[in-house]
Amino acid sequence: NALMLSAFSKAAIVLADPHYQLLAKNTASFLIERLWDGARVKRAWRAEGDPKNQPDGVLEDYMALCVGMLDYFEACGDVEILHQAIEVYEAAEIFFDRERGGFFRCPIERRAMLPYEEKPLIDGAEPSGNALAAIAALRLHHLTDIPHYRAQADSTLKAIGSIMSAQPTATPKALCALAHWFGSRGQMGGIHLP
C-alpha cells in the first residue's frame, strides 16, 4: 500500500539504510505496475481475475500514492518517479470541488449514484484524502513552482479550516499540511522537469 511506500522511503532517508531503500523501490514498482495504469489508481490488487476489473480507487488511494511517490522521489532522486507523482495528482483532479474547494472522495459519475457527496476532511486511522491532497499539492508546488498546485492546496486547507479550528485533534494530518504551508511560504526549491 502507498502508506507503506512512504514509511519505507522515510526510513531509507532517516536511517540511511539500503535495506529500506530496496523495500521502497520494490514497493514503488509493485504499486506502479499493479495499481496505477497511467490514468487511474486501483483501490486494491488481487492475484486472481482480470486486472482491468479491479475496483477503481478513491481520493485517499490517489493521494496516498502521490505522497508515497514524492517520499520515494526524495529517497532515490529518480525524476521519473516525480513525473509519475504529478500524473497521479493530476488524475485525481477529477475529485476537486471547484466551487467550494477541497476534494470529493469519488468522481462525479460515482457521486451521482450516492445519496450525498462525501468530502473526507477528518482523519481516522488513516489520513483523510483532503489532508493528503493538501500535502501533495504543497510539495508539488515546492518542487515545481507551478502556481496551480499552491492554489489547490490553499483551497483544500480552507475547506478543512473550520474543522481544524474547532476540532484540531480530528485533523492531525491536515495540521501537518498547514505547518508545511506556513513553513514553505517564501521558500522555493524548484527543479527543472525535462
Side-chain angles (χ1 to χ4, degrees), residues 66 69-70 81-91 140 144 146 149 193:
C66 180
M69 288 176 160
L70 291 171
I81 295 296
L82 176 59
H83 283 288
Q84 289 179 323
I86 290 169
E87 289 175 8
V88 170
Y89 184 89
E90 290 177 353
L140 287 171
T144 66
I146 296 173
Y149 296 128
L193 294 175

Side-chain angles (χ1 to χ4, degrees), residues 14-188:
V14 172
L15 301 174
D17 187 334
H19 175 70
Y20 287 107
Q21 182 80 21
L22 179 62
L23 289 171
K25 178 182 178 184
N26 291 341
T27 303
S29 296
F30 176 85
L31 293 172
I32 291 165
E33 291 170 14
R34 306 291 170 97
L35 296 178
W36 170 243
D37 67 9
R40 290 186 317 225
V41 172
K42 296 299 183 179
R43 179 101 177 120
W45 177 80
R46 294 182 185 92
E48 315 83 40
D50 183 1
K52 293 178 184 173
N53 291 332
Q54 306 293 359
D56 287 337
V58 295
L59 177 63
E60 292 84 3
D61 301 313
Y62 281 79
M63 292 305 173
L65 182 58
C66 180
V67 170
M69 288 176 160
L70 291 171
D71 289 334
Y72 182 55
F73 166 70
E74 288 181 1
C76 72
D78 182 353
V79 177
E80 181 57 32
I81 295 296
L82 176 59
H83 283 288
Q84 289 179 323
I86 290 169
E87 289 175 8
V88 170
Y89 184 89
E90 290 177 353
E93 289 181 328
I94 60 172
F95 305 110
F96 189 68
D97 182 353
R98 298 192 191 300
E99 295 175 20
R100 297 178 305 244
F103 290 78
F104 291 109
R105 188 159 195 258
C106 52
I108 194 158
E109 61 273 3
R110 285 182 52 196
R111 288 196 311 267
M113 298 183 288
L114 300 173
Y116 65 94
E117 295 182 325
E118 183 181 5
K119 192 183 284 187
L121 303 173
I122 296 174
D123 296 331
E126 297 176 355
S128 75
N130 275 287
L132 291 170
I135 288 170
L138 286 167
R139 289 175 69 187
L140 287 171
H141 176 259
H142 183 75
L143 290 166
T144 66
D145 195 26
I146 296 173
H148 169 73
Y149 296 128
R150 181 58 182 246
Q152 283 195 340
D154 291 351
S155 170
T156 302
L157 287 170
K158 285 178 187 172
I160 306 171
S162 62
I163 297 172
M164 282 192 289
S165 177
Q167 298 176 315
T169 57
T171 58
K173 198 65 167 181
L175 290 170
C176 291
L178 187 61
H180 185 78
W181 185 88
F182 278 109
S184 67
R185 291 174 60 187
Q187 297 179 12
M188 193 50 53

